[in-house]
């Protein structure tokens, strides 16, 4: 996992120095990940795509912001699809929701109640410490974002 993190950190650094060469590759990988998060995909495929997407949403906000609504929809669908399976790790998808909240509050605003409801459900259902930690972190992030932008769930 450390190698993957270092790889994506290096790609982000190169992207800042030379966005013209890097941005098309990042955009293509982002779209591939969104397609792989499809509910009909195998759980392993969704989890791998969510892990890569988790790194992609860390690119500069202006590059990612146009894709935030689609990223949020895909992450939420992935969480719902993996919710039933106790052994399914949706931690990456949960982390994506939190990151999107920090990048684009407007994308989150329309889904705020559904996001809070889903995350609260996950707390009660989760037997995985990693999943519980991801949910608590995402809830904290959403609460901070709501406080910053004065958003509130209905």
């Amino acid at each position: 996992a450390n190698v993957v993190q270092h790889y994506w950190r290096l790609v982000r650094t190169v992207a800042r120095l030379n966005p013209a060469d890097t941005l098309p590759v990042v955009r293509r990988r982002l779209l591939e990940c969104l397609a792989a998060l499809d509910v009909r995909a195998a759980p392993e495929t969704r989890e791998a795509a969510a892990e890569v997407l988790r790194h992609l949403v860390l690119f500069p906000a202006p590059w990612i912001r146009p894709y935030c609504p689609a990223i949020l929809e895909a992450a939420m669908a992935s969480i719902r699809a993996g919710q039933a399976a106790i052994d399914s790790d949706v931690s990456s998808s949960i982390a994506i929701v939190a990151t999107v909240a920090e990048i684009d509050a407007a994308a989150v605003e329309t889904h705020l109640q559904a996001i809070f409801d889903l995350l609260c459900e996950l707390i009660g259902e989760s037997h995985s410490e990693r999943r519980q930690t991801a949910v608590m972190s995402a809830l904290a992030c959403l609460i901070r974002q709501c406080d910053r932008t004065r958003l509130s769930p209905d």
Side-chain angles (χ1 to χ4, degrees), residues 10 43 52 61 88 90 103 105 117 137 141 150:
L10 178 64
V52 171
S88 177
V90 293
I103 295 171
D117 292 347
S137 177
C141 178
R150 302 294 179 231

Side-chain angles (χ1 to χ4, degrees), residues 8 22 26-27 33 37 39 42 46 48-49 52-53 55 63 68 92 114-115 119 129 134:
W8 285 109
T22 314
V26 169
R27 207 178 282 137
C33 288
L37 281 176
V39 176
R46 281 195 316 268
V52 171
L53 192 56
H55 293 286
W63 296 6
C68 281
S92 292
I115 294 169
L119 292 176
E129 186 176 323

